[in-house]
mmCIF file of all heavy atoms in Angstrom:
data_model
loop_
_atom_site.group_PDB
_atom_site.id
_atom_site.type_symbol
_atom_site.label_atom_id
_atom_site.label_comp_id
_atom_site.label_asym_id
_atom_site.label_seq_id
_atom_site.Cartn_x
_atom_site.Cartn_y
_atom_site.Cartn_z
ATOM 1 N N GLY A 44 -25.200 -14.583 34.541
ATOM 2 C CA GLY A 44 -26.517 -14.715 35.209
ATOM 3 C C GLY A 44 -26.730 -16.149 35.747
ATOM 4 O O GLY A 44 -27.218 -16.316 36.823
ATOM 5 N N VAL A 45 -26.177 -17.127 35.022
ATOM 6 C CA VAL A 45 -26.251 -18.510 35.565
ATOM 7 C C VAL A 45 -25.444 -18.658 36.807
ATOM 8 O O VAL A 45 -25.873 -19.230 37.797
ATOM 9 C CB VAL A 45 -25.780 -19.483 34.473
ATOM 10 C CG1 VAL A 45 -25.676 -20.902 35.071
ATOM 11 C CG2 VAL A 45 -26.762 -19.582 33.305
ATOM 12 N N LEU A 46 -24.226 -18.085 36.871
ATOM 13 C CA LEU A 46 -23.373 -18.118 38.038
ATOM 14 C C LEU A 46 -24.031 -17.451 39.296
ATOM 15 O O LEU A 46 -23.809 -17.924 40.375
ATOM 16 C CB LEU A 46 -22.003 -17.575 37.683
ATOM 17 C CG LEU A 46 -21.176 -18.353 36.640
ATOM 18 C CD1 LEU A 46 -19.883 -17.552 36.265
ATOM 19 C CD2 LEU A 46 -20.713 -19.722 37.334
ATOM 20 N N GLU A 47 -24.653 -16.387 39.075
ATOM 21 C CA GLU A 47 -25.298 -15.700 40.100
ATOM 22 C C GLU A 47 -26.431 -16.602 40.749
ATOM 23 O O GLU A 47 -26.553 -16.663 41.983
ATOM 24 C CB GLU A 47 -25.971 -14.386 39.616
ATOM 25 C CG GLU A 47 -24.951 -13.282 39.258
ATOM 26 C CD GLU A 47 -24.240 -12.726 40.592
ATOM 27 O OE1 GLU A 47 -24.728 -12.961 41.681
ATOM 28 O OE2 GLU A 47 -23.087 -12.220 40.355
ATOM 29 N N VAL A 48 -27.125 -17.248 39.867
ATOM 30 C CA VAL A 48 -28.166 -18.237 40.371
ATOM 31 C C VAL A 48 -27.482 -19.408 41.214
ATOM 32 O O VAL A 48 -27.918 -19.762 42.266
ATOM 33 C CB VAL A 48 -29.003 -18.796 39.239
ATOM 34 C CG1 VAL A 48 -29.999 -19.865 39.770
ATOM 35 C CG2 VAL A 48 -29.831 -17.680 38.572
ATOM 36 N N VAL A 49 -26.406 -19.868 40.624
ATOM 37 C CA VAL A 49 -25.693 -21.029 41.288
ATOM 38 C C VAL A 49 -25.104 -20.524 42.659
ATOM 39 O O VAL A 49 -25.218 -21.279 43.698
ATOM 40 C CB VAL A 49 -24.488 -21.443 40.399
ATOM 41 C CG1 VAL A 49 -23.586 -22.405 41.168
ATOM 42 C CG2 VAL A 49 -25.058 -22.122 39.153
ATOM 43 N N LEU A 50 -24.618 -19.231 42.693
ATOM 44 C CA LEU A 50 -24.094 -18.745 43.978
ATOM 45 C C LEU A 50 -25.326 -18.541 44.971
ATOM 46 O O LEU A 50 -25.091 -18.741 46.215
ATOM 47 C CB LEU A 50 -23.460 -17.469 43.772
ATOM 48 C CG LEU A 50 -22.006 -17.548 43.161
ATOM 49 C CD1 LEU A 50 -21.468 -16.181 42.772
ATOM 50 C CD2 LEU A 50 -21.055 -18.173 44.052
ATOM 51 N N ASP A 51 -26.451 -18.165 44.460
ATOM 52 C CA ASP A 51 -27.582 -17.958 45.382
ATOM 53 C C ASP A 51 -27.986 -19.260 46.052
ATOM 54 O O ASP A 51 -28.398 -19.334 47.189
ATOM 55 C CB ASP A 51 -28.818 -17.449 44.536
ATOM 56 C CG ASP A 51 -28.646 -15.970 44.099
ATOM 57 O OD1 ASP A 51 -27.732 -15.290 44.651
ATOM 58 O OD2 ASP A 51 -29.400 -15.597 43.141
ATOM 59 N N TYR A 52 -27.886 -20.405 45.390
ATOM 60 C CA TYR A 52 -28.220 -21.663 45.916
ATOM 61 C C TYR A 52 -27.030 -22.440 46.410
ATOM 62 O O TYR A 52 -27.116 -23.652 46.585
ATOM 63 C CB TYR A 52 -28.987 -22.516 44.902
ATOM 64 C CG TYR A 52 -30.388 -21.844 44.588
ATOM 65 C CD1 TYR A 52 -30.625 -21.082 43.505
ATOM 66 C CD2 TYR A 52 -31.440 -22.235 45.493
ATOM 67 C CE1 TYR A 52 -31.952 -20.595 43.227
ATOM 68 C CE2 TYR A 52 -32.726 -21.714 45.255
ATOM 69 C CZ TYR A 52 -32.939 -20.910 44.226
ATOM 70 O OH TYR A 52 -34.204 -20.438 44.009
ATOM 71 N N GLU A 53 -25.823 -21.834 46.450
ATOM 72 C CA GLU A 53 -24.580 -22.511 47.011
ATOM 73 C C GLU A 53 -24.237 -23.671 46.173
ATOM 74 O O GLU A 53 -23.703 -24.746 46.732
ATOM 75 C CB GLU A 53 -24.736 -22.878 48.427
ATOM 76 C CG GLU A 53 -24.946 -21.705 49.393
ATOM 77 C CD GLU A 53 -23.708 -20.858 49.612
ATOM 78 O OE1 GLU A 53 -22.635 -21.432 49.248
ATOM 79 O OE2 GLU A 53 -23.789 -19.667 49.910
ATOM 80 N N GLY A 54 -24.524 -23.688 44.895
ATOM 81 C CA GLY A 54 -24.200 -24.849 44.027
ATOM 82 C C GLY A 54 -25.180 -25.957 44.017
ATOM 83 O O GLY A 54 -25.008 -26.927 43.234
ATOM 84 N N SER A 55 -26.271 -25.812 44.693
ATOM 85 C CA SER A 55 -27.320 -26.896 44.727
ATOM 86 C C SER A 55 -28.675 -26.301 44.274
ATOM 87 O O SER A 55 -29.541 -25.927 45.064
ATOM 88 C CB SER A 55 -27.415 -27.549 46.129
ATOM 89 O OG SER A 55 -26.228 -28.112 46.543
ATOM 90 N N VAL A 56 -28.772 -26.150 42.901
ATOM 91 C CA VAL A 56 -29.949 -25.527 42.414
ATOM 92 C C VAL A 56 -31.097 -26.616 42.477
ATOM 93 O O VAL A 56 -30.903 -27.737 41.980
ATOM 94 C CB VAL A 56 -29.827 -25.097 40.924
ATOM 95 C CG1 VAL A 56 -31.107 -24.524 40.400
ATOM 96 C CG2 VAL A 56 -28.663 -24.071 40.879
ATOM 97 N N PRO A 57 -32.242 -26.333 43.049
ATOM 98 C CA PRO A 57 -33.343 -27.196 43.215
ATOM 99 C C PRO A 57 -33.919 -27.612 41.800
ATOM 100 O O PRO A 57 -34.009 -26.819 40.927
ATOM 101 C CB PRO A 57 -34.369 -26.530 44.029
ATOM 102 C CG PRO A 57 -34.079 -25.142 43.863
ATOM 103 C CD PRO A 57 -32.607 -24.972 43.681
ATOM 104 N N GLN A 58 -34.219 -28.885 41.655
ATOM 105 C CA GLN A 58 -34.796 -29.420 40.434
ATOM 106 C C GLN A 58 -36.097 -28.914 40.093
ATOM 107 O O GLN A 58 -36.490 -28.827 38.890
ATOM 108 C CB GLN A 58 -34.815 -31.038 40.465
ATOM 109 C CG GLN A 58 -33.437 -31.622 40.524
ATOM 110 C CD GLN A 58 -32.683 -31.410 39.262
ATOM 111 O OE1 GLN A 58 -33.194 -31.396 38.204
ATOM 112 N NE2 GLN A 58 -31.343 -31.110 39.495
ATOM 113 N N GLY A 59 -36.790 -28.412 41.069
ATOM 114 C CA GLY A 59 -38.162 -27.931 40.891
ATOM 115 C C GLY A 59 -38.134 -26.419 40.616
ATOM 116 O O GLY A 59 -39.278 -25.835 40.632
ATOM 117 N N LEU A 60 -37.077 -25.827 40.318
ATOM 118 C CA LEU A 60 -37.020 -24.370 40.096
ATOM 119 C C LEU A 60 -37.778 -24.050 38.806
ATOM 120 O O LEU A 60 -37.605 -24.620 37.773
ATOM 121 C CB LEU A 60 -35.484 -23.990 39.930
ATOM 122 C CG LEU A 60 -35.335 -22.467 39.813
ATOM 123 C CD1 LEU A 60 -35.633 -21.763 40.999
ATOM 124 C CD2 LEU A 60 -33.802 -22.162 39.420
ATOM 125 N N ARG A 61 -38.652 -23.070 38.970
ATOM 126 C CA ARG A 61 -39.427 -22.682 37.871
ATOM 127 C C ARG A 61 -39.214 -21.182 37.457
ATOM 128 O O ARG A 61 -39.486 -20.769 36.320
ATOM 129 C CB ARG A 61 -40.965 -22.804 38.123
ATOM 130 C CG ARG A 61 -41.357 -24.308 38.288
ATOM 131 C CD ARG A 61 -41.286 -25.005 36.973
ATOM 132 N NE ARG A 61 -41.707 -26.351 36.964
ATOM 133 C CZ ARG A 61 -40.830 -27.398 37.190
ATOM 134 N NH1 ARG A 61 -39.580 -27.122 37.338
ATOM 135 N NH2 ARG A 61 -41.265 -28.647 37.227
ATOM 136 N N LYS A 62 -38.639 -20.380 38.321
ATOM 137 C CA LYS A 62 -38.421 -18.998 38.161
ATOM 138 C C LYS A 62 -37.119 -18.617 38.760
ATOM 139 O O LYS A 62 -36.840 -19.047 39.898
ATOM 140 C CB LYS A 62 -39.590 -18.160 38.689
ATOM 141 C CG LYS A 62 -39.422 -16.727 38.407
ATOM 142 C CD LYS A 62 -40.644 -15.897 38.969
ATOM 143 C CE LYS A 62 -40.532 -14.472 38.673
ATOM 144 N NZ LYS A 62 -41.652 -13.690 39.304
ATOM 145 N N LEU A 63 -36.374 -17.838 38.099
ATOM 146 C CA LEU A 63 -35.055 -17.419 38.696
ATOM 147 C C LEU A 63 -35.261 -16.370 39.680
ATOM 148 O O LEU A 63 -36.131 -15.454 39.520
ATOM 149 C CB LEU A 63 -34.130 -16.982 37.568
ATOM 150 C CG LEU A 63 -33.766 -17.944 36.460
ATOM 151 C CD1 LEU A 63 -32.801 -17.290 35.458
ATOM 152 C CD2 LEU A 63 -33.131 -19.160 37.125
ATOM 153 N N PRO A 64 -34.503 -16.355 40.701
ATOM 154 C CA PRO A 64 -34.660 -15.406 41.826
ATOM 155 C C PRO A 64 -34.129 -14.015 41.481
ATOM 156 O O PRO A 64 -34.386 -13.036 42.163
ATOM 157 C CB PRO A 64 -33.783 -15.938 42.929
ATOM 158 C CG PRO A 64 -32.736 -16.788 42.261
ATOM 159 C CD PRO A 64 -33.467 -17.343 41.084
ATOM 160 N N ASN A 65 -33.326 -13.854 40.364
ATOM 161 C CA ASN A 65 -32.940 -12.586 39.945
ATOM 162 C C ASN A 65 -33.212 -12.341 38.495
ATOM 163 O O ASN A 65 -33.530 -13.269 37.752
ATOM 164 C CB ASN A 65 -31.427 -12.370 40.205
ATOM 165 C CG ASN A 65 -30.617 -13.493 39.459
ATOM 166 O OD1 ASN A 65 -31.167 -14.298 38.714
ATOM 167 N ND2 ASN A 65 -29.291 -13.414 39.661
ATOM 168 N N ALA A 69 -30.015 -14.786 31.726
ATOM 169 C CA ALA A 69 -30.104 -16.249 31.856
ATOM 170 C C ALA A 69 -31.555 -16.695 32.082
ATOM 171 O O ALA A 69 -32.346 -15.996 32.679
ATOM 172 C CB ALA A 69 -29.187 -16.624 33.091
ATOM 173 N N THR A 70 -31.827 -17.919 31.571
ATOM 174 C CA THR A 70 -33.175 -18.533 31.817
ATOM 175 C C THR A 70 -32.975 -19.746 32.640
ATOM 176 O O THR A 70 -31.891 -20.203 32.910
ATOM 177 C CB THR A 70 -33.756 -18.849 30.457
ATOM 178 O OG1 THR A 70 -32.913 -19.847 29.747
ATOM 179 C CG2 THR A 70 -33.860 -17.642 29.529
ATOM 180 N N VAL A 71 -34.135 -20.343 33.041
ATOM 181 C CA VAL A 71 -34.099 -21.561 33.751
ATOM 182 C C VAL A 71 -33.443 -22.684 32.966
ATOM 183 O O VAL A 71 -32.680 -23.453 33.536
ATOM 184 C CB VAL A 71 -35.548 -21.932 34.184
ATOM 185 C CG1 VAL A 71 -35.601 -23.336 34.873
ATOM 186 C CG2 VAL A 71 -36.197 -20.854 35.112
ATOM 187 N N GLU A 72 -33.776 -22.721 31.667
ATOM 188 C CA GLU A 72 -33.172 -23.737 30.855
ATOM 189 C C GLU A 72 -31.672 -23.538 30.791
ATOM 190 O O GLU A 72 -30.918 -24.573 30.720
ATOM 191 C CB GLU A 72 -33.731 -23.632 29.421
ATOM 192 C CG GLU A 72 -35.182 -24.054 29.302
ATOM 193 C CD GLU A 72 -36.151 -22.939 29.784
ATOM 194 O OE1 GLU A 72 -35.744 -21.889 30.069
ATOM 195 O OE2 GLU A 72 -37.269 -23.279 29.975
ATOM 196 N N ASP A 73 -31.192 -22.325 30.813
ATOM 197 C CA ASP A 73 -29.697 -22.118 30.839
ATOM 198 C C ASP A 73 -29.094 -22.729 32.078
ATOM 199 O O ASP A 73 -27.981 -23.297 32.033
ATOM 200 C CB ASP A 73 -29.412 -20.590 30.696
ATOM 201 C CG ASP A 73 -29.716 -20.026 29.358
ATOM 202 O OD1 ASP A 73 -29.677 -20.750 28.343
ATOM 203 O OD2 ASP A 73 -30.138 -18.848 29.341
ATOM 204 N N VAL A 74 -29.783 -22.582 33.210
ATOM 205 C CA VAL A 74 -29.236 -23.044 34.511
ATOM 206 C C VAL A 74 -29.166 -24.601 34.468
ATOM 207 O O VAL A 74 -28.138 -25.215 34.847
ATOM 208 C CB VAL A 74 -30.087 -22.557 35.636
ATOM 209 C CG1 VAL A 74 -29.585 -23.136 36.960
ATOM 210 C CG2 VAL A 74 -30.004 -21.033 35.711
ATOM 211 N N PHE A 75 -30.240 -25.187 34.004
ATOM 212 C CA PHE A 75 -30.418 -26.651 34.063
ATOM 213 C C PHE A 75 -29.468 -27.344 32.980
ATOM 214 O O PHE A 75 -29.058 -28.519 33.155
ATOM 215 C CB PHE A 75 -31.764 -27.175 33.999
ATOM 216 C CG PHE A 75 -32.562 -26.958 35.270
ATOM 217 C CD1 PHE A 75 -33.800 -26.290 35.162
ATOM 218 C CD2 PHE A 75 -32.107 -27.441 36.458
ATOM 219 C CE1 PHE A 75 -34.460 -26.008 36.247
ATOM 220 C CE2 PHE A 75 -32.861 -27.191 37.612
ATOM 221 C CZ PHE A 75 -34.014 -26.494 37.540
ATOM 222 N N ASP A 76 -29.155 -26.600 31.937
ATOM 223 C CA ASP A 76 -28.264 -27.160 30.904
ATOM 224 C C ASP A 76 -26.753 -27.006 31.298
ATOM 225 O O ASP A 76 -25.881 -27.539 30.574
ATOM 226 C CB ASP A 76 -28.515 -26.535 29.539
ATOM 227 C CG ASP A 76 -29.883 -26.913 29.016
ATOM 228 O OD1 ASP A 76 -30.365 -28.033 29.418
ATOM 229 O OD2 ASP A 76 -30.430 -26.209 28.140
ATOM 230 N N ALA A 77 -26.513 -26.185 32.236
ATOM 231 C CA ALA A 77 -25.100 -25.793 32.588
ATOM 232 C C ALA A 77 -24.362 -26.849 33.374
ATOM 233 O O ALA A 77 -24.979 -27.679 34.097
ATOM 234 C CB ALA A 77 -25.108 -24.464 33.349
ATOM 235 N N GLN A 78 -23.068 -26.852 33.282
ATOM 236 C CA GLN A 78 -22.109 -27.679 34.058
ATOM 237 C C GLN A 78 -21.391 -26.761 34.975
ATOM 238 O O GLN A 78 -20.616 -25.940 34.507
ATOM 239 C CB GLN A 78 -21.167 -28.422 33.166
ATOM 240 C CG GLN A 78 -21.781 -29.484 32.256
ATOM 241 C CD GLN A 78 -22.115 -30.800 33.056
ATOM 242 O OE1 GLN A 78 -21.380 -31.343 33.812
ATOM 243 N NE2 GLN A 78 -23.395 -31.275 32.828
ATOM 244 N N TYR A 79 -21.588 -26.825 36.279
ATOM 245 C CA TYR A 79 -21.080 -25.891 37.234
ATOM 246 C C TYR A 79 -20.628 -26.489 38.532
ATOM 247 O O TYR A 79 -20.968 -27.641 38.793
ATOM 248 C CB TYR A 79 -22.154 -24.745 37.471
ATOM 249 C CG TYR A 79 -23.443 -25.279 38.041
ATOM 250 C CD1 TYR A 79 -23.672 -25.621 39.439
ATOM 251 C CD2 TYR A 79 -24.471 -25.548 37.173
ATOM 252 C CE1 TYR A 79 -24.789 -26.087 39.884
ATOM 253 C CE2 TYR A 79 -25.682 -26.046 37.616
ATOM 254 C CZ TYR A 79 -25.821 -26.340 38.964
ATOM 255 O OH TYR A 79 -26.977 -26.853 39.505
ATOM 256 N N PHE A 80 -19.863 -25.727 39.240
ATOM 257 C CA PHE A 80 -19.443 -26.205 40.649
ATOM 258 C C PHE A 80 -19.087 -24.971 41.451
ATOM 259 O O PHE A 80 -18.842 -23.901 40.938
ATOM 260 C CB PHE A 80 -18.346 -27.240 40.630
ATOM 261 C CG PHE A 80 -17.016 -26.644 40.062
ATOM 262 C CD1 PHE A 80 -16.017 -26.163 40.973
ATOM 263 C CD2 PHE A 80 -16.755 -26.604 38.704
ATOM 264 C CE1 PHE A 80 -14.872 -25.616 40.503
ATOM 265 C CE2 PHE A 80 -15.512 -26.068 38.214
ATOM 266 C CZ PHE A 80 -14.631 -25.644 39.165
ATOM 267 N N VAL A 81 -19.071 -25.155 42.820
ATOM 268 C CA VAL A 81 -18.825 -24.020 43.710
ATOM 269 C C VAL A 81 -17.736 -24.522 44.725
ATOM 270 O O VAL A 81 -17.744 -25.607 45.210
ATOM 271 C CB VAL A 81 -20.095 -23.641 44.493
ATOM 272 C CG1 VAL A 81 -19.775 -22.515 45.456
ATOM 273 C CG2 VAL A 81 -21.169 -23.128 43.510
ATOM 274 N N ASN A 94 -18.634 -27.968 46.123
ATOM 275 C CA ASN A 94 -19.865 -28.673 45.721
ATOM 276 C C ASN A 94 -19.749 -28.937 44.245
ATOM 277 O O ASN A 94 -19.754 -28.070 43.409
ATOM 278 C CB ASN A 94 -21.076 -27.791 45.989
ATOM 279 C CG ASN A 94 -22.381 -28.416 45.688
ATOM 280 O OD1 ASN A 94 -22.424 -29.475 45.008
ATOM 281 N ND2 ASN A 94 -23.472 -27.947 46.220
ATOM 282 N N LEU A 95 -19.529 -30.198 43.901
ATOM 283 C CA LEU A 95 -19.284 -30.676 42.491
ATOM 284 C C LEU A 95 -20.556 -31.402 41.939
ATOM 285 O O LEU A 95 -20.443 -32.056 40.911
ATOM 286 C CB LEU A 95 -18.064 -31.592 42.379
ATOM 287 C CG LEU A 95 -16.794 -30.985 42.886
ATOM 288 C CD1 LEU A 95 -15.613 -31.941 42.707
ATOM 289 C CD2 LEU A 95 -16.414 -29.608 42.279
ATOM 290 N N ASN A 96 -21.705 -31.129 42.636
ATOM 291 C CA ASN A 96 -22.948 -31.891 42.163
ATOM 292 C C ASN A 96 -23.367 -31.465 40.777
ATOM 293 O O ASN A 96 -24.058 -32.227 40.095
ATOM 294 C CB ASN A 96 -24.067 -31.678 43.111
ATOM 295 C CG ASN A 96 -23.737 -32.362 44.528
ATOM 296 O OD1 ASN A 96 -22.965 -33.282 44.580
ATOM 297 N ND2 ASN A 96 -24.312 -31.732 45.572
ATOM 298 N N GLY A 97 -22.994 -30.234 40.351
ATOM 299 C CA GLY A 97 -23.472 -29.741 39.095
ATOM 300 C C GLY A 97 -22.550 -30.082 37.880
ATOM 301 O O GLY A 97 -22.845 -29.596 36.790
ATOM 302 N N ILE A 98 -21.468 -30.820 38.177
ATOM 303 C CA ILE A 98 -20.591 -31.229 37.059
ATOM 304 C C ILE A 98 -20.061 -32.651 37.304
ATOM 305 O O ILE A 98 -19.841 -33.008 38.402
ATOM 306 C CB ILE A 98 -19.369 -30.152 37.022
ATOM 307 C CG1 ILE A 98 -18.591 -30.399 35.760
ATOM 308 C CG2 ILE A 98 -18.578 -30.220 38.267
ATOM 309 C CD1 ILE A 98 -17.579 -29.265 35.530
ATOM 310 N N ALA A 147 -18.052 -19.583 42.056
ATOM 311 C CA ALA A 147 -18.848 -20.461 41.226
ATOM 312 C C ALA A 147 -18.185 -20.486 39.883
ATOM 313 O O ALA A 147 -17.677 -19.470 39.271
ATOM 314 C CB ALA A 147 -20.278 -20.002 41.077
ATOM 315 N N PHE A 148 -18.112 -21.738 39.299
ATOM 316 C CA PHE A 148 -17.482 -21.934 38.006
ATOM 317 C C PHE A 148 -18.473 -22.511 37.013
ATOM 318 O O PHE A 148 -19.326 -23.430 37.419
ATOM 319 C CB PHE A 148 -16.285 -22.906 38.099
ATOM 320 C CG PHE A 148 -15.108 -22.374 38.890
ATOM 321 C CD1 PHE A 148 -15.130 -22.460 40.233
ATOM 322 C CD2 PHE A 148 -14.106 -21.749 38.216
ATOM 323 C CE1 PHE A 148 -13.995 -21.937 40.989
ATOM 324 C CE2 PHE A 148 -13.004 -21.190 38.950
ATOM 325 C CZ PHE A 148 -12.969 -21.365 40.282
ATOM 326 N N LEU A 149 -18.428 -22.111 35.749
ATOM 327 C CA LEU A 149 -19.283 -22.628 34.698
ATOM 328 C C LEU A 149 -18.430 -23.147 33.565
ATOM 329 O O LEU A 149 -17.550 -22.431 33.032
ATOM 330 C CB LEU A 149 -20.147 -21.469 34.180
ATOM 331 C CG LEU A 149 -21.150 -21.887 33.083
ATOM 332 C CD1 LEU A 149 -22.197 -22.862 33.571
ATOM 333 C CD2 LEU A 149 -21.918 -20.638 32.482
#
Side-chain angles (χ1 to χ4, degrees):
V45 171
L46 290 171
E47 289 294 337
V48 174
V49 171
L50 286 170
D51 289 342
Y52 289 100
E53 298 290 338
S55 298
V56 180
Q58 293 296 321
L60 182 67
R61 292 292 180 268
K62 183 179 180 182
L63 298 183
N65 58 3
T70 64
V71 174
E72 289 77 11
D73 293 327
V74 175
F75 285 125
D76 290 340
Q78 294 284 314
Y79 56 83
F80 65 95
V81 177
N94 186 344
L95 306 182
N96 294 332
I98 189 169
F148 293 85
L149 178 66

